[in-house]
Structures are given as C-alpha cells and as structure tokens.
Amino acid sequence: MEAPKLVYLVTGGCGFLGRHLVRMLLQHEPRLAELRVFDLHLEPWLEELQTGPVQVTAIQGDVTQPHEVAAAVSGAHVVIHMAGLVDVFGRASPEAIHHINVQGTHNIIEACVQAGTRFLVYTSSMEVVGPNIKGHAFYRGNEDTPYEAVHKHPYPRSKALAEKLVLEANGREVRGGLPLVTCALRPTGIYGEGHQVMRDFYRQGLRLGGRLFRAIPSSVEHGRVYVGNVAWMHVLVAQELERSSARLGGQVYFCYDQSPYKSYEDFNMEILGPCGLRLVGTRPLLPYWLLLLLAGLNALLQWLLRPLLLYAPLLNPYTLAMANTTFTVSTDKAHRHFGYEPLFSWEESRARTIRWVQSTEGSVGKAQAAGS
Ligand SMILES: NC(=O)c1ccc[n+]([C@@H]2O[C@H](COP(=O)([O-])OP(=O)(O)OC[C@H]3O[C@@H](n4cnc5c(N)ncnc54)[C@H](O)[C@@H]3O)[C@@H](O)[C@H]2O)c1
Ligand SMILES: CC(C)CCC[C@@H](C)[C@H]1CC[C@H]2[C@@H]3[C@H](O)C=C4C[C@@H](O)CC[C@]4(C)[C@H]3CC[C@]12C
C-alpha cells in the first residue's frame, strides 16, 4: 500500500457534522497523513484522536480572518469547508451570518488559489433551493428539478451566495498552474448524535410531562438525513474529486439516505417515541392562522426584547414556513458520480440517534432506570 501522504483540512470540524466527519476520515481515508481541524471553538475530544497514526492538528481560527485561513490551508491537498453560522432562529445578526458564511467561504477559496490547493468540497444546504417562502412543495425532487428559489432569510441567502462562489471557482488556476476542482453537497435536515434541535424538542417534551403537541399536518413531508451518512458522502466525494475532476467539478449533490419521508414532527417521533415521548393529536391542535400569529408574535417579541435579552424560540415565521412546506429529495446523482451508498441503514441511524438521546441528561430512560 502507498505511504499515507495526504493533508486534509476540515473547517468547522468541531461542530455537529464536523465531529462525525473527522472520525469518519480517520477511519476511511487510508491515504491520510495529517488531518487539520479548524474551528472557532476547539473541543477537548480532539485530544483523544492524537494517539492514532494520523497527525491530527487542531487549529483554533476564524474563517473571516484571511491570514488565519491562509495559514491553515497552506500545504493542504483537500479542503472540506463546513464552518458556518447555522441560524434560523434569530440568534445572530444577518450581518454576522453573511460575514461568516459568505466572506468566510471567499477567504477559503482565495487561500486555496494562493496555496495551490486543488480540491475543495463545500457543505451547502438544501436551503439554497428551498423551501421557498411561497410554500411551493418540492416533492421527491433532484438536482435538476426546476424550483423557484426565493431567499429572503439571511441563512439560506448566505448559503446560496457561498455555494455560488464555490461553484464559480471551479476551474480557477491555483498556484502551480493547475485548476481548482470544487463541488457542493446539499444536506437536507440532518439528524443524529449531537443534534441540538432534536435535544431541544426532547427537553420540551419532558417539561410537558412526556408529551408534544402536533402543530404540522402529517401530510407535509420533510427531507431528513443521518449525520453519519452525510459525513460518509463527504469522504467519498473528496476521494473521487481527484480521480474524476471533469465529472465532479462544479457539481452539486443533495445528501440523502434511506431515512423515511415524514413530517418534521412525525420523523422526530421515530426517535423520541422510543425515548418515552408521545405526540398528541392526529391533526394539528392549533389552526394554522393561530400558529402564524404566534410565530409573528415571537418575531415581534424578539425584536422588542433584543436590547435587553436574546429571545429566540423555535417557532418563528420562517421556521413555521419551513416545517409547513413539503421538501423531499429523491436522487441517485451522488451514486452515479462517486458511488455513494449510505453507510448506515435507516434502522441503524435511528438506533444510534435514540441511544444518544437516551444518554442525554434528564432522559426518561435514565429516570426510569434510576427508579427501578
Ligand atoms: N444541521 C443541519 O441540518 C444542516 C443541514 C444542511 C447543511 N448544513 C451545513 O453543514 C455545516 C455544518 O453544520 P452543523 O449543523 O454541524 O453546524 P454547527 O454549528 O454544529 O457547526 C458549525 C461549526 O462551524 C464553526 N464556526 C462557526 N463560525 C466559525 C468561524 N467564523 N470560523 C471558524 N469556525 C466557525 C462552529 O464553531 C461550529 O463548530 C454548515 O455549513 C451548515 O450550513 C447543516
Ligand atoms: C412549527 C414548529 C412546531 C416546528 C418547528 C420546526 C423547525 C424548528 C425545523 C423545521 C425544519 C428545520 C430545518 C430543516 O430541517 C433544514 C435545515 C437546513 C440546515 O441547513 C440548517 C437547519 C435547518 C434550517 C432546520 C432547522 C430547524 C427547522 C426550521
């Protein structure tokens, strides 16, 4: 076997998806000599990874700082850029979201060009397509399905702009004279170990005596994908980018697996049900106009309270529109272009996520175990 020689850089490597990718790369990329993990906040678990044959280099840095990015990219063969500000709840300002997601991506591209790094994978999002604010359904769509993408919210707007920068950079000459090869992966809603929104719903259910109340009709389907499969797709596409530059360069791929098409809440119950929660109601308990009113009220309160405190509930007009609009993908483009097959079956993805929720503080499972 060839001696390991590749240097990979993962930005945002300490985030929800990033930590899965880091472990996946260490397990499945035998050519890896060094793995650089670049993040604003480094995590203690990185220390545990230092013991293997691959050099794991933790780099505390900010993608908005060109010199920090340049230093991290220098000498890397492959960059997987997933650092970003993921916020649809109004926790961060639109300016911060734009700066980190768009300017940060620009800095990454420029650093690749200057350093002679040829392969760049960008973690985009299904939200660069939709759902749009008009509530148009995207039903089992693929990368070529026409859809009216309308970006009013800062997060999807920033992801769309950043993705465009990455795709336009494909073919640019990097230092040394060779072309840059880029592509973008578009995960749908990711779930799995470490998924904070799932944990928030779980805690809310515990506070409500083990119940959640249906807000969205079960007929509205929402695309979901297991975090391990998203990480796996990144590993595969990064490997294939070099072998099939002409085919993969400048392409976008939805991230998908065999997770069932269900409404956002019904899907969550696949995980939270076995953790002891129950979803009350076969139909939404509140009429849509009332939910819309509550969402609008939350937005108003957020604005009024901003000088005093951060009020950022899960329900706002944007999250309601997202949850209430069908958006599901059905595609085999990633399979055709780089042989992607999900590494984890739905059963395994579900079991792993359930185990993780059950292990979180204050879980019903723990309370029952303590009582028995
Ligand atoms: N979670 C999802 O459902 C989902 C779906 C589609 C796409 N994505 C995309 O996947 C990527 C990872 O998302 P995630 O859910 O793991 O989010 P996350 O917030 O858990 O991880 C993002 C990481 O980026 C880091 N980061 C933020 N700002 C930074 C900066 N200025 N410089 C360096 N690092 C910075 C954070 O510290 C964090 O570790 C994002 O680009 C997101 O847009 C996520
Ligand atoms: C009306 C309430 C009861 C339910 C609110 C659910 C809401 C918090 C959920 C619904 C859809 C979720 C988003 C969706 O899964 C896809 C993405 C794309 C990704 O890039 C970032 C996360 C995000 C925006 C999910 C956030 C949580 C949402 C809005």
Side-chain angles (χ1 to χ4, degrees):
M1 201 181 73
E2 250 183 275
K5 54 172 194 267
L6 292 185
V7 177
Y8 269 58
L9 168 69
V10 176
T11 72
C14 290
F16 164 45
L17 173 59
R19 65 188 62 193
H20 286 266
L21 174 64
V22 163
R23 290 200 163 83
M24 191 71 78
L25 277 169
L26 291 173
Q27 282 170 17
H28 294 280
E29 178 43 273
R31 299 169 307 158
L32 205 55
E34 182 187 353
L35 177 55
R36 296 180 187 165
V37 181
F38 181 96
D39 204 298
L40 206 49
H41 309 288
L42 295 180
E43 297 276 338
W45 53 260
L46 275 173
E47 291 294 320
E48 296 159 23
L49 305 176
Q50 309 287 359
T51 51
V54 178
Q55 184 189 328
V56 179
T57 310
I59 308 172
Q60 196 273 321
D62 185 340
V63 288
T64 66
Q65 301 303 314
H67 61 285
E68 294 181 7
V69 173
V73 170
S74 172
H77 298 98
V78 180
V79 174
I80 302 182
H81 174 43
M82 57 176 57
L85 191 42
V86 185
D87 179 31
V88 290
F89 305 113
R91 293 182 186 136
S93 70
E95 294 75 25
I97 294 174
H98 181 89
H99 197 47
I100 293 172
N101 294 355
V102 184
Q103 186 61 38
T105 302
H106 169 81
N107 293 341
I108 293 281
I109 295 167
E110 292 309 313
C112 288
V113 170
Q114 296 306 320
T117 298
R118 288 200 55 214
F119 304 105
L120 170 62
V121 177
Y122 176 60
T123 312
S124 183
S125 166
M126 75 178 205
E127 283 198 77
V128 306
V129 180
N132 64 24
I133 44 164
K134 297 182 174 178
H136 295 160
F138 187 88
Y139 183 76
R140 313 279 194 269
N142 64 29
E143 289 82 354
D144 300 316
T145 304
Y147 188 78
E148 190 184 344
V150 188
H151 303 299
K152 287 267 158 68
H153 192 279
Y155 173 72
R157 198 167 47 211
S158 71
K159 294 300 285 185
L161 287 171
E163 185 190 271
K164 189 163 177 279
L165 290 181
V166 169
L167 300 179
E168 283 173 359
N170 183 58
R172 260 183 82 178
E173 190 177 303
V174 304
R175 187 178 173 172
L178 291 168
L180 181 63
V181 188
T182 68
C183 73
L185 301 188
R186 295 171 171 171
T188 56
I190 307 174
Y191 70 95
E193 304 95 304
H195 184 213
Q196 293 311 317
V197 181
M198 182 75 81
R199 184 182 274 172
D200 290 348
F201 273 104
Y202 181 57
R203 290 194 172 146
Q204 194 174 357
L206 290 182
R207 279 196 299 274
L208 294 170
R211 289 167 304 172
L212 285 168
F213 298 94
R214 189 184 291 279
I216 302 296
S218 57
S219 56
V220 178
E221 291 182 354
H222 196 82
R224 303 291 283 267
V225 60
Y226 176 61
V227 65
N229 287 326
V230 180
W232 176 231
M233 195 185 264
H234 281 74
V235 172
L236 291 179
V237 82
Q239 288 172 343
E240 195 62 25
L241 218 45
E242 187 178 359
R243 282 193 289 262
S244 312
S245 308
R247 186 166 211 209
L248 272 61
Q251 295 291 325
V252 297
Y253 302 93
F254 278 120
C255 284
Y256 59 94
D257 60 14
Q258 291 133 351
S259 303
Y261 300 116
K262 280 180 180 269
S263 78
Y264 193 79
E265 290 168 317
D266 284 309
F267 186 91
N268 283 355
M269 290 315 294
E270 290 283 338
I271 312 294
L272 300 180
C275 298
L277 298 194
R278 139 180 110 79
L279 184 64
V280 179
T282 49
R283 283 191 289 159
L285 293 187
L286 298 177
Y288 184 69
W289 65 263
L290 189 53
L291 269 180
L292 203 55
L293 194 73
L294 290 173
L297 207 63
N298 275 343
L300 181 68
L301 275 175
Q302 179 172 79
W303 183 74
L304 289 173
L305 293 172
R306 201 175 279 286
L308 304 171
L309 57 95
L310 179 64
Y311 176 66
L314 289 179
L315 180 66
N316 65 43
Y318 181 73
T319 57
L320 179 60
M322 277 209 81
N324 211 44
T325 307
T326 286
F327 197 99
T328 50
V329 303
S330 173
T331 170
D332 64 352
K333 184 174 174 186
H335 175 72
R336 284 184 284 109
H337 282 207
F338 51 93
Y340 165 75
E341 288 285 349
L343 192 60
F344 302 92
S345 66
W346 157 238
E347 288 72 24
E348 193 171 355
S349 307
R350 179 171 180 256
R352 282 171 172 253
T353 313
I354 291 170
R355 268 202 300 278
W356 170 73
V357 174
Q358 286 173 337
S359 72
T360 61
E361 207 185 322
S363 81
V364 175
K366 272 196 176 170
Q368 282 169 349
S372 61

Short mmCIF file of all heavy atoms in Angstrom, two decimals, residues 19 24 40 81 84 89 108 117 152-153 212 221 228 247 268 321 366:
data_model
loop_
_atom_site.label_atom_id
_atom_site.label_comp_id
_atom_site.label_asym_id
_atom_site.label_seq_id
_atom_site.Cartn_x
_atom_site.Cartn_y
_atom_site.Cartn_z
N ARG A 19 -17.69 16.85 13.68
CA ARG A 19 -17.07 15.83 14.53
C ARG A 19 -17.29 14.42 13.97
O ARG A 19 -16.46 13.55 14.13
CB ARG A 19 -17.55 15.96 15.98
CG ARG A 19 -19.01 15.70 16.18
CD ARG A 19 -19.44 16.03 17.59
NE ARG A 19 -19.23 17.46 17.87
CZ ARG A 19 -19.26 18.00 19.08
NH1 ARG A 19 -19.44 17.24 20.13
NH2 ARG A 19 -19.11 19.30 19.25
N MET A 24 -14.87 9.92 10.72
CA MET A 24 -15.07 9.14 9.50
C MET A 24 -13.81 9.18 8.62
O MET A 24 -13.42 8.17 8.04
CB MET A 24 -16.27 9.74 8.76
CG MET A 24 -16.81 8.94 7.63
SD MET A 24 -17.66 7.47 8.15
CE MET A 24 -19.22 8.08 8.68
N LEU A 40 -13.57 27.76 15.26
CA LEU A 40 -13.55 28.91 16.17
C LEU A 40 -13.38 28.42 17.61
O LEU A 40 -12.69 29.03 18.41
CB LEU A 40 -14.89 29.65 16.02
CG LEU A 40 -15.00 31.12 16.33
CD1 LEU A 40 -13.91 31.93 15.68
CD2 LEU A 40 -16.38 31.63 15.89
N HIS A 81 -14.96 22.42 3.51
CA HIS A 81 -15.35 23.65 4.21
C HIS A 81 -16.79 23.55 4.70
O HIS A 81 -17.73 23.68 3.92
CB HIS A 81 -15.18 24.83 3.24
CG HIS A 81 -15.68 26.13 3.79
ND1 HIS A 81 -15.43 26.54 5.09
CD2 HIS A 81 -16.43 27.12 3.23
CE1 HIS A 81 -16.00 27.71 5.29
NE2 HIS A 81 -16.61 28.09 4.18
N GLY A 84 -19.59 27.32 9.57
CA GLY A 84 -20.63 28.27 9.19
C GLY A 84 -21.46 28.64 10.38
O GLY A 84 -21.40 28.00 11.44
N PHE A 89 -33.10 31.00 13.84
CA PHE A 89 -33.92 31.38 15.00
C PHE A 89 -33.71 32.84 15.42
O PHE A 89 -34.29 33.28 16.40
CB PHE A 89 -33.60 30.46 16.19
CG PHE A 89 -33.78 29.00 15.84
CD1 PHE A 89 -32.68 28.15 15.79
CD2 PHE A 89 -35.02 28.49 15.53
CE1 PHE A 89 -32.83 26.82 15.44
CE2 PHE A 89 -35.20 27.16 15.19
CZ PHE A 89 -34.10 26.31 15.14
N ILE A 108 -11.71 31.14 2.04
CA ILE A 108 -11.25 29.76 1.83
C ILE A 108 -10.82 29.57 0.36
O ILE A 108 -9.77 29.01 0.07
CB ILE A 108 -12.39 28.75 2.18
CG1 ILE A 108 -12.71 28.77 3.67
CG2 ILE A 108 -12.07 27.35 1.67
CD1 ILE A 108 -11.75 28.01 4.54
N THR A 117 -3.84 24.64 -3.43
CA THR A 117 -4.70 23.51 -3.01
C THR A 117 -5.75 23.30 -4.10
O THR A 117 -6.46 24.23 -4.46
CB THR A 117 -5.39 23.84 -1.67
OG1 THR A 117 -4.37 24.02 -0.70
CG2 THR A 117 -6.35 22.75 -1.24
N LYS A 152 -35.13 35.04 1.24
CA LYS A 152 -35.34 36.29 1.99
C LYS A 152 -34.61 36.21 3.33
O LYS A 152 -34.17 37.22 3.87
CB LYS A 152 -36.85 36.48 2.24
CG LYS A 152 -37.63 36.88 1.00
CD LYS A 152 -37.76 38.39 0.90
CE LYS A 152 -38.04 38.89 -0.50
NZ LYS A 152 -39.32 38.56 -1.05
N HIS A 153 -34.50 34.99 3.87
CA HIS A 153 -33.90 34.83 5.19
C HIS A 153 -32.37 34.86 5.07
O HIS A 153 -31.81 34.30 4.11
CB HIS A 153 -34.37 33.50 5.79
CG HIS A 153 -34.05 33.37 7.24
ND1 HIS A 153 -32.81 32.98 7.69
CD2 HIS A 153 -34.80 33.59 8.35
CE1 HIS A 153 -32.81 32.96 9.00
NE2 HIS A 153 -34.01 33.33 9.43
N LEU A 212 -45.68 15.90 23.36
CA LEU A 212 -45.50 17.01 22.43
C LEU A 212 -46.83 17.17 21.71
O LEU A 212 -47.57 16.19 21.57
CB LEU A 212 -44.37 16.70 21.43
CG LEU A 212 -42.95 16.80 21.99
CD1 LEU A 212 -41.94 16.19 21.01
CD2 LEU A 212 -42.55 18.24 22.30
N GLU A 221 -44.31 16.57 4.07
CA GLU A 221 -43.11 15.75 4.22
C GLU A 221 -41.83 16.59 4.20
O GLU A 221 -41.71 17.53 3.43
CB GLU A 221 -43.04 14.73 3.08
CG GLU A 221 -44.10 13.67 3.20
CD GLU A 221 -43.98 12.64 2.10
OE1 GLU A 221 -43.15 12.82 1.19
OE2 GLU A 221 -44.73 11.66 2.14
N GLY A 228 -24.17 10.52 10.00
CA GLY A 228 -23.08 9.61 9.60
C GLY A 228 -23.04 9.44 8.09
O GLY A 228 -21.96 9.34 7.49
N ARG A 247 -15.78 15.25 -14.19
CA ARG A 247 -17.17 14.87 -13.95
C ARG A 247 -17.75 15.58 -12.72
O ARG A 247 -18.87 16.07 -12.73
CB ARG A 247 -17.23 13.36 -13.73
CG ARG A 247 -18.62 12.85 -13.62
CD ARG A 247 -18.62 11.36 -13.74
NE ARG A 247 -19.86 10.95 -14.36
CZ ARG A 247 -20.43 9.79 -14.15
NH1 ARG A 247 -19.87 8.92 -13.35
NH2 ARG A 247 -21.56 9.48 -14.73
N ASN A 268 -39.42 13.17 14.00
CA ASN A 268 -38.82 13.28 15.33
C ASN A 268 -39.34 12.20 16.27
O ASN A 268 -38.61 11.67 17.11
CB ASN A 268 -39.11 14.66 15.94
CG ASN A 268 -38.21 15.75 15.34
OD1 ASN A 268 -37.32 15.44 14.54
ND2 ASN A 268 -38.46 16.99 15.71
N ALA A 321 -42.80 28.27 8.25
CA ALA A 321 -42.93 28.07 6.79
C ALA A 321 -42.12 26.85 6.36
O ALA A 321 -42.57 26.05 5.53
CB ALA A 321 -42.45 29.31 6.05
N LYS A 366 -33.26 7.36 31.71
CA LYS A 366 -32.41 7.44 32.90
C LYS A 366 -33.25 7.50 34.16
O LYS A 366 -32.95 6.86 35.16
CB LYS A 366 -31.54 8.70 32.82
CG LYS A 366 -30.26 8.46 32.10
CD LYS A 366 -29.29 9.58 32.38
CE LYS A 366 -27.96 9.27 31.72
NZ LYS A 366 -27.07 10.39 31.75
#
